[in-house]
Amino acid sequence: MEWLTAPFEVTFVQRALWGGVLVSAICALAGTWVVLRGMAFLGDAMSHGLLPGVALAALFGGNLLVGAVASAAVMTAGVTALGRTPKLSQDTGIGLLFVGMLSLGVIIVSRSQSFAVDLTGFLFGDVLAVREQDLFLLGTALLVASAVSVLGHRAFLALTFDPRKARTLGLRPRLAHAVLLALLGLAIVASFHIVGTLLVLGLLIAPPAAALPWAHSVRGVMALAALVGATATFGGLLLSWHLSTAAGATVAALAVSLFFLSHLASGLRHRRTSPATPALPKAD
């Protein structure tokens, strides 16, 4: 069994594993709502919208995480504001912000001497470069995400399954939507250093989508999604070590593969028992 344990005897791979597990938990909390509400395009737009802040931080020698947080805040505020414009569909507003922020980021990065290196690191991440301070920040982000998820769970449920009822119950759906966007931004900021913005949706969407056919509640989807993400992290790092492939991309690819395997197994199970389509998890 040495082939199974040998990679994880190396310190930087151990840190990568812990970083991936923490990110998987954060993404499970945010990604479940992304999947249930059909917000994948928004997640993609927000992940690429981090580029201007990261580019400015790289250009002036600042902290990339701070730059990513700043861009995530701008994207969240922009999506919230444009969502209240009656004559503009939400997808149109998100698309415009997506292109605008991405273009601005590329313009900024093109002023840097290390354009190719900066952009490659931003797009694809470097899970093997996770440091101890990164683990501390990821742990803090997980605590914040957990607190937001617990405190906002009732409002998020109403917003997802019955937005009209959310108003009648006084749950302030607009505020709940803004907080949910902030939670999504937190997950993306925490993840981009691990797998990069091009692959962040692999951990954000694939594990919750894989968990959906097997869980019977929203909390169940979150728990199972965290387990799937952690499994993809462990397996991806193991495969990357033995096959000499890019670690972040291998983790994301394995997460997507687990999604297809999950739905294939679910389809076979329901074909044997009932032709009915599995329902969404209940609002718990």
Side-chain angles (χ1 to χ4, degrees), residues 160-178:
T160 299
F161 294 103
D162 196 345
R164 292 182 180 179
K165 190 175 181 180
R167 288 192 182 88
T168 61
L169 293 175
L171 294 176
R172 303 178 67 181
R174 286 187 176 181
L175 177 60
H177 182 67

Side-chain angles (χ1 to χ4, degrees), residues 60-124:
F60 293 105
N63 189 306
L64 298 185
L65 184 61
V66 173
V69 170
S71 278
V74 171
M75 282 292 295
T76 299
V79 171
T80 302
L82 290 176
R84 296 176 181 176
T85 305
K87 294 185 178 180
L88 190 68
S89 71
Q90 187 176 35
D91 280 351
T92 301
I94 293 171
L96 291 172
L97 280 171
F98 178 14
V99 175
M101 292 288 280
L102 186 59
S103 301
L104 177 61
V106 172
I107 291 171
I108 296 171
V109 175
S110 66
R111 300 289 300 173
S112 172
Q113 296 294 327
S114 55
F115 172 78
V117 175
D118 292 338
L119 188 58
T120 299
F122 172 76
L123 293 176
F124 301 106

Side-chain angles (χ1 to χ4, degrees), residues 239-283:
L239 290 172
S240 171
W241 177 273
H242 291 293
L243 300 178
S244 299
T245 56
T250 307
V251 169
L254 185 55
V256 174
S257 298
L258 290 175
F259 158 74
F260 285 112
L261 288 174
S262 170
H263 279 260
L264 177 61
S266 175
L268 294 174
R269 182 189 64 169
H270 283 278
R271 185 175 298 177
R272 290 178 181 176
T273 57
S274 170
T277 301
L280 289 174
K282 66 181 180 180

Side-chain angles (χ1 to χ4, degrees), residues 178-190:
V179 173
L180 189 56
L181 289 179
L183 179 62
L184 175 59
L186 175 63
I188 291 172
V189 168

Side-chain angles (χ1 to χ4, degrees), residues 6 12 21 33 41 51 94 114 124 128 133 148 210 224 231 255 257:
F12 68 84
V21 169
W33 300 113
F41 177 55
L51 184 55
I94 293 171
S114 55
F124 301 106
L128 298 179
Q133 52 264 48
V148 171
L224 189 53
T231 301
S257 298

